[in-house]
Amino acid sequence: MKQEEKKKTVWSILDIAELGVMIATLEVGKVALEGLPNVEVVSFLIILYTMYFGQKTIVAIIAFVMLECMIKPINIWAVMYCYIWPLLSILTYLFRKYRSIWFMSILSGVYGLLFGALCSIVYLVLSGPQTALAWWIAGIPWDLVHGIGNFVIMLVLYRPLTKVFNRYCQQKKSAIG
Amino acid sequence: MENKEMETTQEKKGGAGKAILGIVIAVVLIGALIAVYLVFGPKTSEGSKAITITITDDQGVDTVYETKTDAEYLMDAVQELDGITIEGEEGDYGLFIKTVNGITADYDTDGAYWSIYVNGEYGNYGIDAQPVADGDSYAIVYEVYTE
């Protein structure tokens, strides 16, 4: 009984290794595409990780945000990151049974389109509705780029990556028993 | 066996229907965003506009430039002037000013940053997204964040 409880609460070495890979790929993916404003693979990775690793992804996101804060000068984006990425993971988790390429592409695309609106919540709290609205509207062209980018990235990478993840999960299952 | 095939076909049809619905939602959202931007987005006016640009440096010294411009955005108006050089970093939401006339504001070192004021009010846009309107006065001010 005690051992069972232990199994539920204590993370295995494999869990920690998976987390390490998740955090590293999130950070590398973020940095690799920083030259292209609002084109990113972080949304794609968070959706995929949530589909395959579930709630563990939230821990990876927290570590990823902390890593970003250590690397880059902290500004208002840090506050946005604290809720914007976990929210994407929660949404994916809620819709996890709709595992189709189209559903996930649309989810990722729509999230990109609404990214500016969601980020403007911070300005709503700090400076009021007028500033938040002006900030969001000024960024709409970038939200469009973000949404289309997210949609295309998911559409192109979903099948090859899910193939890899399916194979990995099967191997893990047979190895653990 | 046939039943299974029928179920799969129905599932596929249902999936395709959901995909189409999703695409319609996304397209409507894109249309709505474009409409909001076109109606409420930053507006510019063309023609000759008389504007004032004030640079306040790290010592609090003001340099005032009065000019007439056809530029649509403040960055273009500034670039037309002799004696102002502005450098910055392209961010997700426009140019983030780092250096003005050789004076660099380094937020990480001492909390310093360059801010933009429009007619005395704190600006909502980056310098390359700030529309230029006739009669407006703009200020680019070196400020230091203090708790």
Side-chain angles (χ1 to χ4, degrees), chain A residues 34 36-38 73-75 81 98 102-103 106 110 113-116 119 130-131 134-144 148 151, chain B residues 15 18-23 25-27 29-34 36-38 40-42 90-94 96 107-108 124-125 129:
Chain A
E34 265 173 355
L36 303 168
N38 283 34
I74 295 174
N75 209 318
Y81 273 26
Y98 303 103
W102 286 104
F103 184 85
I106 290 162
V110 168
L113 291 175
L114 298 176
F115 203 85
C119 284
Q130 217 174 347
T131 305
W135 187 84
W136 168 59
I137 292 170
I140 282 177
W142 293 110
D143 286 335
L144 294 174
I148 293 164
F151 181 79
Chain B
K18 278 175 195 163
I20 291 167
L21 181 70
I23 290 170
I25 291 169
V27 170
L29 191 60
I30 289 173
L33 287 176
I34 292 171
V36 168
Y37 185 75
L38 291 178
F40 301 107
E90 206 60 53
D92 288 352
Y93 291 92
F96 178 69
Y107 191 84
D108 297 330
N124 286 325
Y125 306 112

Side-chain angles (χ1 to χ4, degrees), chain A residues 6-7 9-19 56 176:
Chain A
K6 244 187 176 180
K7 264 186 187 174
T9 50
V10 178
W11 287 25
S12 69
I13 293 169
L14 188 63
D15 287 327
I16 296 164
E18 281 173 352
L19 267 175
K56 206 190 293 175
I176 295 170

